[in-house]
Amino acid sequence: MATASRVLGWLAALGLAGGLAMGFGVAPRETTQGFVQRIMYLHVPTAWVAYLAFGVVFVASIVYLARRTDAADRVAHASAEVGVVFTGLTIAAGSIWGKPTWGTWWTWDARLTSVAVLFVMYLGYLLLRGMIEEPERGARYAAVLGIIAALDVPLVHFSVYWWRTLHQPPSVMKPGAPTMPPVILATLLVNVVAFTLLYLYFVTKRVELLRREQEARLA
Amino acid sequence: MMPDNWGYVAAAYALALVMFGGYWRRLRTRERQLRTPPSRRRGR
Amino acid sequence: MSFARRAWAVTWKDVLVERRSKETLNALVFFALLLLFAFQFALGPDRDRLAQAMPGLLWLGFILSGLLGLGRTFVTERENDCWEALLLTPGDKSAVYVGKLAGNLLLMFTVEALLIALFAVFFNVDLSAALPALTLVVALGTVGLAAVGTLFAAMTANIRARELLFPILLLPVQVPVLLGTVKATEAVLAGEPLAAVAQWLKLLVAADLIYVVSGLLTFDFILEG
Amino acid sequence: MRTKRTKFLAGGVVIAAALAYMIYAGVTQSAVYFVTPSELTQAPVAGKAYRLGGMVVKGSLRWEPRTLDLAFAISDGKATVPVRHKGTPPDLFGEERGAVVEGSWTPDGYFKATTILAKHSEEYKAPHDEGQASPKELMKTLKGPGA
C-alpha cells in the first residue's frame, strides 16, 4: 500500500507537470475569454474529482454495511476528506473564473449552488465522524449518511438546475461531439487524468494513515 | 476582446498549490506523529 | 406481531406520552406564535411585502418548528433509558422507523395546520381558494423533511452536540425538498393551478420516495447498538 | 437472511427507479430561468423583479466611464428592450453576446438593471478557428435546456 501510494504520488506529479505544460504552453489562447480561460484546466478536473470522490464514498459505504470490513470504512473516510479538499478548490477556482467572465464572484447559479450544497453535506459527514468516539458506531452512522448524501446528489442537481442557471452547459460530458477544439480537449483530458492520480495518491496515503492510527489505538 | 486577466489565473493556481500543499503537509505531519513512540504521543 | 402492528405500537406509545405531557406540542405552538411576532416585527405592516414573502416565511416556520420537533424524536427514549428497549425490539427494526415517522408526521401536520391558520388570521390573507393545492404541496414537503429528519434524529440521539449536529446534517440534504416545496407553495399561493408546478411535484414525489425507502433500508444499521 | 436480501433488492430497485425517473424528467424538462424580451414586452409589470436574458443588440451599447452609466438594448430577435445600468460591465459583456440582467421594469419604459451577468456559451475556440460563435448559436445556448 505504501509503495503503491508512492508510485501514485510520482505519477500524479508527472501528470500535473504535463498538464501545466500543456495548459500554459501548448493550448492556445482562447478567443472569447482569452488567457483567463486557462483556469478551466484547474476547475473542470477538480470538479470531476469532487464527484468521483463522493461516488467512492457511496460505494465504500455500501460495501462497509454489507461486509463490515474496516478497509471499506477507511476508504470512505479518506475519500470524503480528500473530496472536501477538491470540492473547496472547485468552488474557489470557479469563483475566481466567474469574476472576470460573468462579472461576479458568486451567483446562486445552478451548478455553483449544487456543488456548494455538496461541500456542506460532506463537511457535515466529516463532522459526524469526528463527534462519535466509538469507531465502530462512527463507521456505521457515517456509512448511512454517506449513502443518503450520495442519493441526494442528483436531486440537489436538478432542483437547483430548475431553480436558476447561468453556468454554460457542459462541454465535454454531453451527447454529441465536444464543443471545443482538439487541443483544448486534449489538455483538459491530461489534466483530468493528472488530478485523478493526485486524488488516488491522497486517498491511498490517507487510508494508510487511518490504518496505522487504528493499530496505534489498539496497541 | 477581453483583457488578459492573468492575475486571476495566477490566483487560482496559487490557491490550488496552497490547498493541495497544505493537505499534503497535514498528512506528512500525522505520519511523523504516528512514527514517534506511543509513550511520547500521549502529551500531544 | 406483524410489521404494521409493531409500527403502530411505537406511534401509539408516542401519542400517549404526548397526550399526557403535551410537552412537545405546547412548546411548538408557543414557538410558532413567537415566530409570527418575529416576522411581523421584522417586516413591518407593509401588506404587499408580506404577501410576497409569505411562502418563504411559512416554510421558515415549518422548518424551524420541524427542526425542534424532529430533533426530539428519540429524546424520551434517551432520557428514560429506553434506548436499549428499542434495540431489543424483535424482528425488523424498520417498523420502529415507520412508527416514529408516523408520529413525527402527525406532530408536524398539527403544527403546520395551526401555523397556516395563524398566518391567515394575523396577516389577513384569504387562503380558502388555495387550500387543497396548498395541503398537497405542504404534505409532500413535510414527508420528505420528516423521513430524513427521523433517520438523522436517531443518528444524532447519542451524540453530545446533538442540537448542533442535527440541523447541520439535515438542512443540506433537504435542499431539493425545500426548493421544490417553497417554489410550489409560492405558485399555489399566487393562485396558479397545480399543473403549473408539475415539475416540482415530480421532484417532491421522487425525493419522498427515495428518502422513505432509504430510511427503511438503513434504519436497521443505526439501531444496532 | 433471505428476506433481508429481498428487502434490500426491492428497496434498491425502487430508489433506482425514482432516481432514473428524476434524471429523465430533469433532462427533458426545459425550464425557464429568465424571461425573454418578447415575453417581457407582452405584459410588463412595473416594479416587479425580473431576470431578463437575450442578446445585446449591435450598435446599442453606450458606456460613460465617468458617470458609470451603461445603456444598451437586449433582443431575442423578435422584441427589443432598452436597459440601463450603473456600474462597470463584466469583461465578457459586449455587443452580440449573450447576457442576463437582473432588475425591474420601470414605468418610464426601460429596464433598470441591478446586476449584469455575461453568459458565455460552452463553445471554446482556438484563435485560428474562423470567427465568433454566431448570434444564432448563442441564442441557442441562452435558451437550451442542457444538463
Side-chain angles (χ1 to χ4, degrees):
Chain A
M1 199 72 184
T3 42
S5 175
R6 193 161 305 135
V7 171
L8 277 171
W10 285 112
L11 280 177
L14 209 71
L16 288 174
L20 273 178
M22 279 193 78
F24 286 89
V26 181
R29 196 173 177 285
E30 206 263 338
T31 37
T32 331
Q33 292 192 25
F35 191 69
V36 80
Q37 179 265 341
R38 295 185 202 277
I39 294 180
M40 184 188 189
Y41 304 130
L42 176 67
H43 176 66
V44 174
T46 48
W48 144 252
V49 171
Y51 280 101
L52 171 76
F54 298 135
V56 169
V57 174
F58 177 59
V59 175
S61 297
I62 291 179
V63 171
Y64 176 76
L65 287 184
R67 303 229 184 285
R68 303 298 165 106
T69 45
D70 284 344
D73 174 57
R74 285 196 286 266
V75 169
H77 189 172
S79 186
E81 198 178 289
V82 178
V84 163
V85 175
F86 273 86
T87 314
L89 185 62
T90 304
I91 294 172
S95 180
I96 293 173
W97 191 10
K99 182 61 188 168
T101 50
W102 294 336
T104 172
W105 291 108
W106 182 262
T107 163
W108 290 102
D109 147 79
R111 236 165 308 163
L112 265 71
T113 314
S114 69
V115 172
V117 172
L118 205 68
F119 184 64
V120 181
M121 246 171 4
Y122 285 95
L123 271 185
Y125 174 93
L126 292 179
L127 213 58
L128 176 77
R129 293 208 76 123
M131 278 190 187
I132 304 177
E133 272 110 41
E134 308 95 306
E136 190 270 339
R137 197 155 62 91
R140 207 147 31 81
Y141 286 14
V144 171
L145 183 60
I147 289 170
I148 302 277
L151 290 177
D152 209 42
V153 168
L155 296 172
V156 171
H157 179 85
F158 285 112
S159 64
V160 289
Y161 197 84
W162 289 340
W163 186 41
R164 49 176 24 188
T165 197
L166 186 69
H167 203 292
Q168 63 276 28
S171 322
V172 183
M173 300 275 273
K174 67 171 191 182
T179 48
M180 49 177 72
V183 206
I184 294 185
L185 184 65
T187 310
L188 200 55
L189 289 182
V190 167
N191 276 294
V192 165
V193 171
F195 278 96
T196 310
L197 284 169
L198 183 65
Y199 160 77
L200 290 174
Y201 166 64
F202 276 147
V203 168
T204 46
K205 208 170 166 58
R206 188 76 182 94
V207 165
E208 179 65 17
L209 262 180
L210 283 167
R211 194 180 61 78
R212 264 192 256 163
E213 271 170 30
Q214 195 185 21
E215 273 170 10
R217 231 187 351 255
L218 292 175
Chain B
M1 206 73 348
M2 268 184 76
D4 265 348
N5 283 320
W6 66 269
Y8 288 102
V9 182
Y13 278 87
L15 193 72
L17 194 69
V18 167
M19 279 179 84
F20 287 138
Y23 186 67
W24 185 71
R25 279 211 16 208
R26 223 181 71 117
L27 291 185
R28 284 297 290 260
T29 329
R30 297 280 295 140
E31 210 172 21
R32 224 164 289 146
Q33 273 172 352
L34 279 173
R35 225 171 272 154
T36 54
S39 56
R40 276 170 53 202
R41 221 177 323 128
R42 287 269 158 249
R44 180 165 54 91
Chain C
M1 268 199 292
S2 73
F3 185 93
R5 285 273 305 273
R6 278 182 293 145
W8 175 245
V10 174
T11 313
W12 186 238
K13 181 212 72 147
D14 281 354
V15 170
L16 279 184
V17 169
E18 186 56 42
R19 201 168 64 181
R20 214 159 292 155
S21 69
K22 300 200 182 59
E23 221 175 35
T24 313
L25 199 61
N26 277 347
L28 282 185
V29 169
F30 188 56
F31 180 71
L33 263 174
L34 287 180
L35 274 182
L36 275 181
F37 281 160
F39 291 156
Q40 182 73 301
F41 293 147
L43 285 172
D46 188 344
R47 285 267 159 262
D48 286 344
R49 207 157 53 160
L50 271 176
Q52 245 178 28
M54 176 114 158
L57 291 185
L58 212 51
W59 269 99
L60 208 57
F62 296 167
I63 294 161
L64 290 177
S65 51
L67 282 178
L68 284 184
L70 292 174
R72 291 186 53 82
T73 311
F74 291 93
V75 164
T76 352
E77 274 84 2
R78 287 299 307 155
E79 284 171 355
N80 302 326
D81 290 328
C82 296
W83 184 259
E84 282 72 22
L86 275 188
L87 298 187
L88 290 174
T89 324
D92 203 340
K93 303 284 193 309
S94 40
V96 177
Y97 175 72
V98 173
K100 285 286 183 186
L101 177 60
N104 275 335
L105 282 176
L106 217 59
L107 183 73
M108 282 192 71
F109 284 145
T110 316
V111 175
E112 282 167 357
L114 206 77
L115 251 176
I116 290 178
L118 286 174
F119 256 83
V121 172
F122 280 99
F123 294 135
N124 206 9
V125 274
D126 184 17
L127 292 176
S128 51
L131 207 53
L134 184 66
T135 310
L136 177 70
V137 169
V138 169
L140 283 177
T142 309
V143 170
L145 197 64
V148 184
T150 308
L151 185 71
F152 284 7
M155 207 187 270
T156 49
N158 295 306
I159 297 174
R160 268 174 294 112
R162 170 171 13 107
E163 298 83 358
L164 201 65
L165 199 57
F166 179 67
I168 288 179
L169 295 183
L170 183 59
L171 286 180
V173 172
Q174 288 297 308
V175 163
V177 166
L178 295 182
L179 267 181
T181 195
V182 169
K183 284 281 149 194
T185 308
E186 212 168 73
V188 164
L189 284 181
E192 285 177 47
L194 273 178
V197 290
Q199 93 194 70
W200 290 120
L201 294 183
K202 280 185 213 163
L203 175 90
L204 286 174
V205 170
D208 287 356
L209 207 62
I210 291 170
Y211 293 154
V212 172
V213 173
S214 51
L216 279 172
L217 292 186
T218 54
F219 194 72
D220 261 356
F221 300 113
I222 289 176
L223 225 57
E224 234 169 53
Chain D
M1 202 59 215
R2 203 179 168 78
T3 53
K4 217 170 177 182
R5 199 184 203 108
T6 12
K7 183 178 118 175
F8 279 104
L9 270 177
V13 167
V14 171
I15 290 177
L19 279 180
Y21 173 72
M22 196 58 240
I23 290 164
Y24 171 76
V27 173
T28 50
Q29 185 89 37
S30 53
V32 183
Y33 313 110
F34 43 76
V35 295
T36 59
S38 29
E39 283 163 357
L40 182 71
T41 45
Q42 262 168 28
V45 181
K48 189 184 165 187
Y50 288 104
R51 277 161 72 92
L52 175 72
M55 293 281 298
V56 179
V57 178
K58 193 177 182 181
S60 70
L61 189 65
R62 306 250 178 293
W63 195 51
E64 202 65 56
R66 247 186 296 143
T67 56
L68 293 178
D69 280 322
L70 182 71
F72 56 93
I74 272 189
S75 164
D76 59 353
K78 278 172 263 164
T80 308
V81 173
V83 182
R84 285 188 211 168
H85 176 69
K86 225 171 170 59
T88 319
D91 290 335
L92 205 63
F93 178 82
E95 291 180 354
E96 298 204 290
R97 296 256 179 83
V100 176
V101 292
E102 293 177 334
S104 56
W105 180 255
T106 59
D108 308 331
Y110 65 90
F111 191 86
K112 190 162 174 289
T114 51
T115 318
I116 293 184
L117 303 157
K119 167 126 188 155
H120 63 88
S121 78
E122 76 271 35
E123 308 266 341
Y124 294 89
K125 283 195 187 328
H128 50 79
D129 283 10
E130 276 305 303
Q132 287 271 319
S134 71
K136 209 182 212 168
E137 266 171 44
L138 260 177
M139 268 320 283
K140 204 180 69 202
T141 316
L142 276 165
K143 288 188 150 170

